Amino acid sequence: MFTVAKEPTSRLNSPPCLTPIRALLIAEVLEMILDELVNDKRSISRLAFTCKAIAEPSLDRLWALNDSLEPFISLLPMQLTLNEDSAFQFDQPMVPLEEWAAFDNYARRARRLYAKTVTMNPHRVYSSIYKQLVDIRPNVELFPNLTSMAIHAKCIPDPHLRMFPSSLRSVTFSWANIREPEIEAVLWSSVMKRLLLDAPLIEHIHFEGSPKEALLSLIPLPFQQLQKITIKPSPLSPNVLHKYSHAFSTSAIRELDLRFVRWPDPRLQPISPVFPSLRKLTIDGSPSHAIDFVRLLSSPLLQELAIASQCECSGDALSQYTQLLMLLADKYRGVFRTFKIQHPLLCHDQADLESFLHAVRTLANAGVCTLQLNLIVGWKNPSREVQDMIDPSKWTTLRHFRISSRRASITWSWTAGNALFGRL
């Protein structure tokens, strides 16, 4: 067992500002300097001791972004001690309010909190200590101005105790290494309900991992300001994506980033509208995954789709993309604006290329104005039909469209209808 040390709470013993550093009193100048030093906490700390007039803004910046809970642990009241299992023990039943002054003085400056767990993962909060502090100070916002945090959700929260600050706008949840898998669904539901109550203005939720059990007890959560969902699970239940869409079916989510290892069984049907307000979709998967999901999507106003990587080494990827483009042109004509394939797309058959370019033309005629594509063909001289189809004068509405050959001495590339030629 060890006693947590506490930093002094007295005002910084900084000298009065002298003439050479009066420029730092200009808010814009100091802001620029602090921006440059954002990753150099040692220099910001020294700057805080330079002059009393700039101590407060320097300390605000110094404590704003935190990759560890350790500095805050050192500010806890002396009455709190941690044993070898990182559990708090009390030297007395009640800790006087004034003993929290040092912790509160610096915790109010925190804006981001990604603290280390025992597994040394910098993207999770050391949740056991955080949860204990929540229990020790019931219904007190530990970090009242926090806007972003990561937390390893492994304990069902007390339904009567505040867990998250009301200022929170972005949160990352990790569900890894749950010792009791049978409680995963209850844990997920309990934590999300607590988030809705504590931080109703949350804008972005990032899920790392996901409950392996079906979320049977989950009811739709009406987050009013939630704009973006990122789901990056490890292998999980084939129907879990439908459970997510059900949980957020009453939230006006505009942006969705899906990075699945195992995708839903296409034979399973959703039980509620699938992200009905979606505008922007990013998928880390094959075009066949994108086709299945776009078909289920309830939103009538999808404007952008990005395929982050090619997860499946399929020989007919180009034909799948052809189907995807035709689906987008048919379902979102006049609405869809941007399509991005963020990996090189190989083509070995000229007939497949002609079909694909026909689909691109159909999508362009449906209203798309930005296409990000790196299409690599495997032959030296394209057919007359292909040469006619890649004529830049016929693609005046498109941007970021590049066609190159692994064998030819030149590459065809143009932006906004202007032809650009260069050697490979």
PDB file of all heavy atoms in Angstrom, residues 207-211 230-236 240 244 258-262:
ATOM      1  N   PHE A 207     -16.788   3.046 -30.823  1.00  0.00           N
ATOM      2  CA  PHE A 207     -16.801   1.745 -30.171  1.00  0.00           C
ATOM      3  C   PHE A 207     -15.590   0.942 -30.634  1.00  0.00           C
ATOM      4  O   PHE A 207     -15.430   0.681 -31.820  1.00  0.00           O
ATOM      5  CB  PHE A 207     -18.078   0.969 -30.508  1.00  0.00           C
ATOM      6  CG  PHE A 207     -19.339   1.625 -30.016  1.00  0.00           C
ATOM      7  CD1 PHE A 207     -20.136   2.343 -30.890  1.00  0.00           C
ATOM      8  CD2 PHE A 207     -19.723   1.520 -28.688  1.00  0.00           C
ATOM      9  CE1 PHE A 207     -21.299   2.942 -30.453  1.00  0.00           C
ATOM     10  CE2 PHE A 207     -20.874   2.120 -28.242  1.00  0.00           C
ATOM     11  CZ  PHE A 207     -21.673   2.836 -29.120  1.00  0.00           C
ATOM     12  N   GLU A 208     -14.734   0.544 -29.678  1.00  0.00           N
ATOM     13  CA  GLU A 208     -13.617  -0.361 -29.958  1.00  0.00           C
ATOM     14  C   GLU A 208     -13.971  -1.704 -29.335  1.00  0.00           C
ATOM     15  O   GLU A 208     -13.986  -1.840 -28.115  1.00  0.00           O
ATOM     16  CB  GLU A 208     -12.314   0.170 -29.377  1.00  0.00           C
ATOM     17  CG  GLU A 208     -11.770   1.387 -30.094  1.00  0.00           C
ATOM     18  CD  GLU A 208     -10.395   1.772 -29.591  1.00  0.00           C
ATOM     19  OE1 GLU A 208      -9.912   1.133 -28.632  1.00  0.00           O
ATOM     20  OE2 GLU A 208      -9.803   2.704 -30.143  1.00  0.00           O
ATOM     21  N   GLY A 209     -14.238  -2.674 -30.182  1.00  0.00           N
ATOM     22  CA  GLY A 209     -14.756  -3.927 -29.675  1.00  0.00           C
ATOM     23  C   GLY A 209     -16.247  -3.792 -29.456  1.00  0.00           C
ATOM     24  O   GLY A 209     -16.823  -2.706 -29.500  1.00  0.00           O
ATOM     25  N   SER A 210     -16.904  -4.901 -29.224  1.00  0.00           N
ATOM     26  CA  SER A 210     -18.348  -4.884 -29.065  1.00  0.00           C
ATOM     27  C   SER A 210     -18.772  -6.117 -28.290  1.00  0.00           C
ATOM     28  O   SER A 210     -18.088  -7.138 -28.313  1.00  0.00           O
ATOM     29  CB  SER A 210     -19.036  -4.872 -30.427  1.00  0.00           C
ATOM     30  OG  SER A 210     -20.426  -4.886 -30.289  1.00  0.00           O
ATOM     31  N   PRO A 211     -19.899  -6.035 -27.578  1.00  0.00           N
ATOM     32  CA  PRO A 211     -20.390  -7.235 -26.893  1.00  0.00           C
ATOM     33  C   PRO A 211     -20.580  -8.402 -27.856  1.00  0.00           C
ATOM     34  O   PRO A 211     -21.118  -8.225 -28.945  1.00  0.00           O
ATOM     35  CB  PRO A 211     -21.731  -6.774 -26.315  1.00  0.00           C
ATOM     36  CG  PRO A 211     -21.589  -5.299 -26.182  1.00  0.00           C
ATOM     37  CD  PRO A 211     -20.742  -4.875 -27.340  1.00  0.00           C
ATOM     38  N   THR A 230     -18.583   5.605 -34.820  1.00  0.00           N
ATOM     39  CA  THR A 230     -17.502   4.787 -35.349  1.00  0.00           C
ATOM     40  C   THR A 230     -17.569   3.434 -34.667  1.00  0.00           C
ATOM     41  O   THR A 230     -17.596   3.360 -33.437  1.00  0.00           O
ATOM     42  CB  THR A 230     -16.128   5.429 -35.093  1.00  0.00           C
ATOM     43  OG1 THR A 230     -16.094   6.723 -35.708  1.00  0.00           O
ATOM     44  CG2 THR A 230     -15.010   4.573 -35.660  1.00  0.00           C
ATOM     45  N   ILE A 231     -17.621   2.364 -35.443  1.00  0.00           N
ATOM     46  CA  ILE A 231     -17.710   1.009 -34.897  1.00  0.00           C
ATOM     47  C   ILE A 231     -16.525   0.214 -35.422  1.00  0.00           C
ATOM     48  O   ILE A 231     -16.406  -0.019 -36.626  1.00  0.00           O
ATOM     49  CB  ILE A 231     -19.029   0.321 -35.280  1.00  0.00           C
ATOM     50  CG1 ILE A 231     -20.223   1.185 -34.878  1.00  0.00           C
ATOM     51  CG2 ILE A 231     -19.127  -1.043 -34.610  1.00  0.00           C
ATOM     52  CD1 ILE A 231     -21.563   0.622 -35.316  1.00  0.00           C
ATOM     53  N   LYS A 232     -15.649  -0.175 -34.512  1.00  0.00           N
ATOM     54  CA  LYS A 232     -14.448  -0.915 -34.889  1.00  0.00           C
ATOM     55  C   LYS A 232     -14.326  -2.147 -34.006  1.00  0.00           C
ATOM     56  O   LYS A 232     -13.473  -2.236 -33.141  1.00  0.00           O
ATOM     57  CB  LYS A 232     -13.215  -0.020 -34.743  1.00  0.00           C
ATOM     58  CG  LYS A 232     -11.935  -0.625 -35.284  1.00  0.00           C
ATOM     59  CD  LYS A 232     -10.759   0.317 -35.082  1.00  0.00           C
ATOM     60  CE  LYS A 232      -9.476  -0.291 -35.613  1.00  0.00           C
ATOM     61  NZ  LYS A 232      -8.311   0.606 -35.381  1.00  0.00           N
ATOM     62  N   PRO A 233     -15.205  -3.126 -34.189  1.00  0.00           N
ATOM     63  CA  PRO A 233     -15.179  -4.301 -33.326  1.00  0.00           C
ATOM     64  C   PRO A 233     -14.223  -5.375 -33.825  1.00  0.00           C
ATOM     65  O   PRO A 233     -13.811  -5.386 -34.980  1.00  0.00           O
ATOM     66  CB  PRO A 233     -16.619  -4.813 -33.368  1.00  0.00           C
ATOM     67  CG  PRO A 233     -17.352  -3.923 -34.316  1.00  0.00           C
ATOM     68  CD  PRO A 233     -16.344  -3.145 -35.081  1.00  0.00           C
ATOM     69  N   SER A 234     -13.904  -6.276 -32.918  1.00  0.00           N
ATOM     70  CA  SER A 234     -13.260  -7.521 -33.287  1.00  0.00           C
ATOM     71  C   SER A 234     -14.368  -8.483 -33.724  1.00  0.00           C
ATOM     72  O   SER A 234     -15.529  -8.099 -33.742  1.00  0.00           O
ATOM     73  CB  SER A 234     -12.485  -8.053 -32.078  1.00  0.00           C
ATOM     74  OG  SER A 234     -13.257  -7.901 -30.913  1.00  0.00           O
ATOM     75  N   PRO A 235     -14.042  -9.731 -34.113  1.00  0.00           N
ATOM     76  CA  PRO A 235     -15.097 -10.643 -34.570  1.00  0.00           C
ATOM     77  C   PRO A 235     -16.249 -10.728 -33.576  1.00  0.00           C
ATOM     78  O   PRO A 235     -16.040 -10.846 -32.378  1.00  0.00           O
ATOM     79  CB  PRO A 235     -14.354 -11.975 -34.699  1.00  0.00           C
ATOM     80  CG  PRO A 235     -12.956 -11.590 -34.983  1.00  0.00           C
ATOM     81  CD  PRO A 235     -12.708 -10.331 -34.203  1.00  0.00           C
ATOM     82  N   LEU A 236     -17.472 -10.683 -34.073  1.00  0.00           N
ATOM     83  CA  LEU A 236     -18.622 -10.615 -33.182  1.00  0.00           C
ATOM     84  C   LEU A 236     -19.840 -11.255 -33.813  1.00  0.00           C
ATOM     85  O   LEU A 236     -19.775 -11.859 -34.870  1.00  0.00           O
ATOM     86  CB  LEU A 236     -18.912  -9.154 -32.809  1.00  0.00           C
ATOM     87  CG  LEU A 236     -18.682  -8.097 -33.895  1.00  0.00           C
ATOM     88  CD1 LEU A 236     -19.822  -8.059 -34.869  1.00  0.00           C
ATOM     89  CD2 LEU A 236     -18.485  -6.748 -33.261  1.00  0.00           C
ATOM     90  N   VAL A 240     -24.916  -8.099 -34.940  1.00  0.00           N
ATOM     91  CA  VAL A 240     -24.676  -6.993 -34.027  1.00  0.00           C
ATOM     92  C   VAL A 240     -24.838  -5.635 -34.703  1.00  0.00           C
ATOM     93  O   VAL A 240     -25.263  -4.669 -34.072  1.00  0.00           O
ATOM     94  CB  VAL A 240     -23.279  -7.109 -33.379  1.00  0.00           C
ATOM     95  CG1 VAL A 240     -22.184  -6.777 -34.374  1.00  0.00           C
ATOM     96  CG2 VAL A 240     -23.176  -6.220 -32.151  1.00  0.00           C
ATOM     97  N   TYR A 244     -26.918  -2.349 -33.368  1.00  0.00           N
ATOM     98  CA  TYR A 244     -26.440  -0.965 -33.281  1.00  0.00           C
ATOM     99  C   TYR A 244     -27.420  -0.025 -33.984  1.00  0.00           C
ATOM    100  O   TYR A 244     -27.759   1.044 -33.457  1.00  0.00           O
ATOM    101  CB  TYR A 244     -25.061  -0.834 -33.933  1.00  0.00           C
ATOM    102  CG  TYR A 244     -23.899  -1.146 -33.015  1.00  0.00           C
ATOM    103  CD1 TYR A 244     -23.117  -2.274 -33.204  1.00  0.00           C
ATOM    104  CD2 TYR A 244     -23.565  -0.286 -31.973  1.00  0.00           C
ATOM    105  CE1 TYR A 244     -22.034  -2.546 -32.378  1.00  0.00           C
ATOM    106  CE2 TYR A 244     -22.493  -0.551 -31.143  1.00  0.00           C
ATOM    107  CZ  TYR A 244     -21.730  -1.691 -31.350  1.00  0.00           C
ATOM    108  OH  TYR A 244     -20.669  -1.953 -30.524  1.00  0.00           O
ATOM    109  N   LEU A 258     -17.711   2.312 -40.411  1.00  0.00           N
ATOM    110  CA  LEU A 258     -17.805   0.896 -40.082  1.00  0.00           C
ATOM    111  C   LEU A 258     -16.510   0.184 -40.427  1.00  0.00           C
ATOM    112  O   LEU A 258     -16.094   0.175 -41.582  1.00  0.00           O
ATOM    113  CB  LEU A 258     -18.962   0.240 -40.850  1.00  0.00           C
ATOM    114  CG  LEU A 258     -20.366   0.767 -40.566  1.00  0.00           C
ATOM    115  CD1 LEU A 258     -21.368   0.064 -41.468  1.00  0.00           C
ATOM    116  CD2 LEU A 258     -20.732   0.588 -39.111  1.00  0.00           C
ATOM    117  N   ARG A 259     -15.890  -0.417 -39.428  1.00  0.00           N
ATOM    118  CA  ARG A 259     -14.637  -1.158 -39.642  1.00  0.00           C
ATOM    119  C   ARG A 259     -14.794  -2.526 -38.999  1.00  0.00           C
ATOM    120  O   ARG A 259     -14.279  -2.792 -37.918  1.00  0.00           O
ATOM    121  CB  ARG A 259     -13.454  -0.379 -39.073  1.00  0.00           C
ATOM    122  CG  ARG A 259     -13.312   0.987 -39.743  1.00  0.00           C
ATOM    123  CD  ARG A 259     -12.183   1.825 -39.177  1.00  0.00           C
ATOM    124  NE  ARG A 259     -12.158   3.126 -39.819  1.00  0.00           N
ATOM    125  CZ  ARG A 259     -11.520   3.409 -40.947  1.00  0.00           C
ATOM    126  NH1 ARG A 259     -10.845   2.448 -41.566  1.00  0.00           N
ATOM    127  NH2 ARG A 259     -11.552   4.611 -41.470  1.00  0.00           N
ATOM    128  N   PHE A 260     -15.531  -3.373 -39.709  1.00  0.00           N
ATOM    129  CA  PHE A 260     -15.884  -4.688 -39.191  1.00  0.00           C
ATOM    130  C   PHE A 260     -14.914  -5.748 -39.679  1.00  0.00           C
ATOM    131  O   PHE A 260     -14.376  -5.665 -40.777  1.00  0.00           O
ATOM    132  CB  PHE A 260     -17.292  -5.084 -39.647  1.00  0.00           C
ATOM    133  CG  PHE A 260     -18.375  -4.575 -38.742  1.00  0.00           C
ATOM    134  CD1 PHE A 260     -18.230  -3.381 -38.069  1.00  0.00           C
ATOM    135  CD2 PHE A 260     -19.531  -5.296 -38.569  1.00  0.00           C
ATOM    136  CE1 PHE A 260     -19.219  -2.910 -37.246  1.00  0.00           C
ATOM    137  CE2 PHE A 260     -20.535  -4.829 -37.740  1.00  0.00           C
ATOM    138  CZ  PHE A 260     -20.384  -3.641 -37.080  1.00  0.00           C
ATOM    139  N   VAL A 261     -14.728  -6.768 -38.843  1.00  0.00           N
ATOM    140  CA  VAL A 261     -14.018  -7.971 -39.275  1.00  0.00           C
ATOM    141  C   VAL A 261     -15.021  -8.995 -39.780  1.00  0.00           C
ATOM    142  O   VAL A 261     -14.797  -9.667 -40.773  1.00  0.00           O
ATOM    143  CB  VAL A 261     -13.183  -8.551 -38.105  1.00  0.00           C
ATOM    144  CG1 VAL A 261     -12.554  -9.869 -38.507  1.00  0.00           C
ATOM    145  CG2 VAL A 261     -12.113  -7.551 -37.687  1.00  0.00           C
ATOM    146  N   ARG A 262     -16.133  -9.082 -39.103  1.00  0.00           N
ATOM    147  CA  ARG A 262     -17.188 -10.018 -39.494  1.00  0.00           C
ATOM    148  C   ARG A 262     -18.470  -9.228 -39.733  1.00  0.00           C
ATOM    149  O   ARG A 262     -18.959  -8.543 -38.849  1.00  0.00           O
ATOM    150  CB  ARG A 262     -17.398 -11.059 -38.401  1.00  0.00           C
ATOM    151  CG  ARG A 262     -18.409 -12.133 -38.752  1.00  0.00           C
ATOM    152  CD  ARG A 262     -18.534 -13.118 -37.601  1.00  0.00           C
ATOM    153  NE  ARG A 262     -19.511 -14.159 -37.883  1.00  0.00           N
ATOM    154  CZ  ARG A 262     -19.893 -15.067 -37.003  1.00  0.00           C
ATOM    155  NH1 ARG A 262     -19.367 -15.060 -35.786  1.00  0.00           N
ATOM    156  NH2 ARG A 262     -20.789 -15.990 -37.318  1.00  0.00           N
TER     157      ARG A 262
END
